[in-house]
Amino acid sequence: MPTTEVITVQRRRKYRWPEAQLNFWLLIIWVAAGLNLGVFANFITIQEQMNLGIPWLFPYMVTASALAIIFLIIFMILIMQRQLLPPIVMVFSFILFVLWLAGVIETAIEFLGPNGGVNGNCNLYVLGQSYSGVSIDTLAYLEQKSICQSWQAAFSFEIVGCVFFIWMIVMASQVNRDQYD
């Protein structure tokens, strides 16, 4: 009885990622995630120091930013091993987009709210004032101005993060279809 031998050859598909766009994306997301992690962690510290309640947004954005940083670390490990798969990138980018979008919506409500929004209070009580010299008033003004600018930076980089997560979904789908050959 003759025997038939079947040989299967598996070939790993190589994906070509556009290096310049990928590096730019990584840089911006590192900045956005790091900034939001630091700003909202600082807000938690301020709230605790003042014996105030902590709004759900602060730990939420700390968590969402930490998840983005974990994703970036895994992302970079996969890049170094040349095993970065577009479907995985698309799924995790979508998850982070949804998380950050929820953060943007709540930050917008708190920051731009109609009655007593942070931005309105900053414009009314802080940014319209000016203190100088060595005094406790100047120190208080500088801290208040720093908090206002932290809100502005966090809100801005949340929006940037959302846009860049969408961009990564699009770029990964293009890589998956070999549009960067």
Side-chain angles (χ1 to χ4, degrees), residues 2 7 10 29-30 35 38 45 52 57 60-61 71 82 89 93 109 113 116 133-134 137 139 156 178:
I7 299 174
Q10 288 185 336
I29 294 298
W30 274 113
L35 182 132
T45 303
L52 296 172
L57 173 66
Y60 177 85
M61 280 310 298
F71 169 67
R82 300 200 180 276
V89 172
S93 293
I109 291 169
V134 180
D137 292 333
L139 186 59
S156 300
D178 292 326

Side-chain angles (χ1 to χ4, degrees), residues 20-34 72 76 157 164:
Q21 291 179 15
L22 192 62
N23 289 334
F24 181 67
W25 183 88
L26 282 168
L27 174 69
I28 298 302
I29 294 298
W30 274 113
V31 169
L72 289 172
M76 293 185 73
F157 272 94
F164 272 65

